[in-house]
Amino acid sequence: MVPAPSFYGRGSGWRRSNSGRMYRHEPEPEPTGPSMLLDKLPAHVLRDVFGFLSAGDVARAACACKTFKQVARSESLWRKLLCEKLGSQASIVLPETLPNERYPHGDMVVEPAWKEMFQFWMNPGPNSYSWMEHAKGEELENRGKFAARYLHRCTAIGDGNKILLFGGQGSGADFFNDLHLIDLRKKSLQLEQLDAAGDPPFPRCSGTLTAVSVTGIPGSEVVALFGGSQGFFEGFSNSLCILQGDENVSISDAASQHKGLTWREPLVVAADPEDGVPDARWGHSAVSWNGKLVLFGGSNTQHCFNDTWVLDVGLNPREPESRRLLATWKKLKLGDDVRPPSRAGQTVSLVGDALYVFGGCHISDVFNDLWRLDLGVRVPTWKRLDVAGTPPAPRVGHAAVVLGDRIVFSGGRGSPTAGASGTYATADQGLATMQGLTFFEGGFAMLDISRGTWMPIQHPNRNDHVYLRGEDDGDAMEDATMEHEVWEHRTGHVMVPAKDGLLVIGGLAYNGEFQNDVQHIRVF
C-alpha cells in the first residue's frame, strides 16, 4: 500500500505529496448520505459523468456516498480535469501517466496522484519548479550551429510540438536570418538548422514570427515574419515574409523532413488606404487569433506605438496560378480612446479571445501594467486591469507562455522594486546596460486569469536548493550565481511549453554575454 502523504499540522494547510511537491490542501468532509440512482451506475459511466463537473463539484459529489467517493479517486478523472485547466497545451506539457499513480481497492483512502498534481497546479507551494536540464548550444545534438544570440523569435507549428526559431542578434554587429527547429516529441534536446528556398529575409532581431492560416484553405498553415531591425539606430523594417510548405505538404511536415520550405514575399495591401499598413518597427508583439495575425506596439527611432493591427493572409486573385499570397493589413477600430501607453519590448498573450499586454518600455520608462483587449466583441475596447496579488516588477524584454487560463512570465530587465528578485548587470557597458536598465529579473511570475490574481513568483530549485540571497529590509533581493553559470537572469530570450514544463532558449545574460543554451524547467 502506498503510504498516505504527510501533513504539516491538522486540517487545512500545506501538504507534501509522495513526489515531494508542496501544495495547499483543503480537507474534504466525510460522505453525509446516499444519492438517488446515480450511485447504481457502473463506475466507468460515473467517471464520464464526473468528467463534466468542476473540481469543486467533484469534491461535493464525493460527500454524497461511498460510491461517489471512490469514483472521485479516479486517476483518469483528475488527469482530465487538469487537462481542461491547461487547455491545448496539456498534450505538450503533461505526461501520459505518473509513476506514483494509485488504484485503490475496497476502503483504501489514498488520494490519486493526478489529484495531487491538480491541487499543486491550482495552489503551488513556494519554489516548486525545478531546473531539469541546462545544455549549451554546442552541447546539443545539432544539425547546424545555433550561435549565441538574443531578440530571436519563435512560433509553434502543427500540433504545437514543433518550434521554429528565427534570427536574432549576437556579439558585435552579428545579425542572423537562420531558421532552426526544436521537435518537443524527441527524447533529447535538438536544435536542427533548416534550409528554405526562395529569397531569405534580411538578417534582423526583434521582429515577430507567427503561424497563421491561409483564408479560404481549411487546415492550411504558413509562418509570417514581420518587421524587426538591425540595431537600435538603424535597419527598422515593416517588411513581411511568408514561410510556406510545398504544395500539398504542411509546413510542419516540411520542417520535420528538412525539405520543402520556401520563403516568399506576399502582395501586401491595406484594407483602408487612409490607414495604410503598419510603420517600420521592432519590439512589437504578435499572436495568432482565429488564424489571423494580431499586432501590437513596437518602436523605431522616431515613434513608439500603441496601435493594433490585424493581418489576413489569403489567396491572391491577381495571380491565381502563382503560390504568392495576398496579405491584407487592417487597423483595428477601437471603442474609445483608452489604450495602453505606447511601448516596445512588452509581451502580448492570447487567452481565449482576449489579448493581455504586460510590461514593456518607452525609452527608459519601464512598465508593469496589465491591459486586456477582448477581440471577440464587435467593437473591442482596451481596459487596464487591477488584479489581486503582487505584480512582477516593471520589465522589458521578458518572455511569456500561456498554459490554459494562466500566463507565465520569465526574465527581462528594468529597475528593481521593493521585494523584487534578480541581479544587477555585471558588465560595465554594452547591451546589458542599455538605457540604464541594469536589473535583470529573476523567477517565474504567473497570472491566473480565471481567479484574477498574480500568484507568488516561483524560484526554481536547483539540486534541491534555491539560490537566493537578500536582506530583510524590503529592498530588492539578489539571486546568487553559482559557478558563474547563467540560469534565469536574461533578456531577449524565448520561452515555450515543453514536456513536463517549459523551455527557455538563448538571450542576453546579466554578465553581458549572449546565450545559446536551452533551459528545461520542470513544472509538472
Side-chain angles (χ1 to χ4, degrees):
M1 178 184 301
V2 178
S6 62
F7 285 86
Y8 286 85
R10 298 182 179 273
S12 62
W14 293 107
R15 182 177 183 181
R16 184 181 298 278
S17 70
N18 277 24
S19 62
R21 293 184 179 277
M22 296 295 296
Y23 62 90
R24 189 176 294 279
H25 172 77
E26 295 295 338
E28 300 174 2
E30 290 298 318
T32 57
S35 66
M36 292 184 181
L37 298 175
L38 282 175
D39 59 342
K40 307 301 181 185
L41 293 174
H44 70 279
V45 175
L46 283 174
R47 281 195 296 271
D48 290 340
V49 172
F50 276 37
F52 291 99
L53 305 178
S54 68
D57 290 335
V58 169
R60 284 185 285 272
C63 299
C65 64
K66 288 185 177 181
T67 300
F68 284 8
K69 190 169 186 177
Q70 286 296 100
V71 172
R73 290 187 178 134
S74 164
E75 294 283 3
S76 60
L77 170 64
W78 286 99
R79 187 182 190 280
K80 180 179 180 181
L81 292 172
L82 182 54
C83 285
E84 290 175 352
K85 289 293 296 181
L86 293 170
S88 61
Q89 306 297 345
S91 61
I92 299 173
V93 300
L94 289 183
E96 288 297 323
T97 60
L98 295 176
N100 58 335
E101 288 186 10
R102 304 154 195 162
Y103 298 92
H105 301 282
D107 293 329
M108 288 176 61
V109 294
V110 293
E111 294 287 7
W114 279 107
K115 182 178 180 180
E116 290 182 352
M117 184 69 78
F118 179 91
Q119 292 173 325
F120 159 75
W121 177 244
M122 296 303 295
N123 294 290
N127 308 323
S128 296
Y129 298 177
S130 59
W131 301 102
M132 290 180 64
E133 296 175 79
H134 176 204
K136 296 184 181 296
E138 58 269 20
E139 298 169 348
L140 302 176
E141 184 178 335
N142 277 308
R143 291 186 179 183
K145 180 180 180 182
F146 182 72
R149 65 190 71 193
Y150 91 135
L151 298 178
H152 46 299
R153 294 296 184 252
C154 73
T155 189
I157 57 174
D159 63 359
N161 278 288
K162 296 184 181 70
I163 309 297
L164 291 180
L165 298 97
F166 174 85
Q169 178 181 357
S171 59
D174 290 339
F175 291 88
F176 303 104
N177 64 347
D178 50 354
L179 191 66
H180 287 80
L181 169 72
I182 289 184
D183 190 335
L184 300 176
R185 293 193 182 278
K186 293 188 176 180
K187 291 184 177 180
S188 59
L189 294 174
Q190 298 180 32
L191 277 164
E192 306 171 22
Q193 187 166 359
L194 302 178
D195 294 321
D199 292 330
F202 73 86
R204 69 188 76 186
C205 67
S206 204
T208 52
L209 194 71
T210 315
V212 297
S213 301
V214 178
T215 300
I217 306 180
S220 59
E221 185 177 44
V222 297
V223 172
L225 171 67
F226 174 74
S229 173
Q230 288 191 336
F232 190 65
F233 298 107
E234 61 183 42
F236 292 93
S237 172
N238 66 346
S239 65
L240 180 66
C241 300
I242 301 293
L243 183 66
Q244 300 172 238
D246 285 351
E247 192 170 0
N248 300 321
V249 179
S250 71
I251 195 168
S252 176
D253 288 342
S256 295
Q257 297 164 10
H258 288 254
K259 63 180 181 179
L261 291 172
T262 302
W263 285 109
R264 289 187 173 90
E265 183 179 339
L267 176 63
V268 178
V269 299
D272 186 337
E274 292 187 3
D275 292 331
V277 301
D279 291 331
R281 64 189 70 196
W282 76 338
H284 49 287
S285 302
V287 298
S288 179
W289 172 70
N290 290 342
K292 304 180 190 307
L293 183 151
V294 181
L295 173 77
F296 172 80
S299 67
N300 57 36
T301 51
Q302 284 80 40
H303 300 285
C304 196
F305 303 101
N306 63 352
D307 49 355
T308 308
W309 297 79
V310 178
L311 176 70
D312 179 88
V313 177
L315 297 174
N316 185 0
R318 305 180 194 182
E319 303 176 25
E321 302 302 321
S322 157
R323 297 210 69 209
R324 188 185 187 194
L325 298 171
L326 178 68
T328 305
W329 282 108
K330 179 180 180 181
K331 192 171 186 179
L332 193 64
K333 306 300 182 184
L334 302 175
D336 55 34
D337 294 332
V338 175
R339 60 198 66 194
S342 300
R343 66 190 66 201
Q346 69 287 326
T347 55
V348 173
S349 306
L350 183 72
V351 180
D353 286 325
L355 291 182
Y356 291 86
V357 172
F358 174 74
C361 73
H362 187 173
I363 308 177
S364 295
D365 292 332
V366 191
F367 305 110
N368 69 341
D369 51 351
L370 179 68
W371 292 79
R372 181 180 67 201
L373 182 69
D374 189 352
L375 299 172
V377 300
R378 187 174 62 87
V379 183
T381 302
W382 282 106
K383 179 181 180 182
R384 180 168 180 170
L385 302 181
D386 293 316
V387 300
T390 303
R395 63 189 65 196
V396 61
H398 50 292
V401 158
V402 174
L403 295 178
D405 60 356
R406 295 196 189 160
I407 308 173
V408 182
F409 302 89
S410 77
R413 60 179 170 174
S415 302
T417 57
S421 62
T423 188
Y424 285 93
T426 57
D428 294 331
Q429 56 187 354
L431 292 173
T433 59
M434 190 172 65
Q435 299 170 264
L437 304 178
T438 59
F439 188 75
F440 283 68
E441 309 289 348
F444 290 77
M446 188 154 52
L447 174 66
D448 189 314
I449 300 295
S450 296
R451 293 193 276 195
T453 186
W454 288 104
M455 304 185 74
I457 291 179
Q458 291 281 340
H459 296 279
N461 288 286
R462 181 158 30 118
N463 296 327
D464 297 322
H465 186 72
V466 180
Y467 291 102
L468 184 70
R469 68 170 180 260
E471 303 295 334
D472 296 327
D473 57 6
D475 293 335
M477 299 183 72
E478 183 174 334
D479 292 329
T481 54
M482 302 300 293
E483 300 174 357
H484 305 289
E485 294 217 22
V486 176
W487 295 79
E488 55 195 304
H489 305 106
R490 60 185 72 202
T491 186
H493 53 295
V494 299
M495 181 168 65
V496 298
K499 180 182 177 183
D500 299 326
L502 304 165
L503 290 184
V504 169
I505 306 168
L508 174 66
Y510 70 96
N511 58 9
E513 296 182 2
F514 294 92
Q515 306 296 305
N516 65 343
D517 57 346
V518 176
Q519 302 269 9
H520 194 176
I521 299 94
R522 178 175 178 255
V523 178
F524 298 99

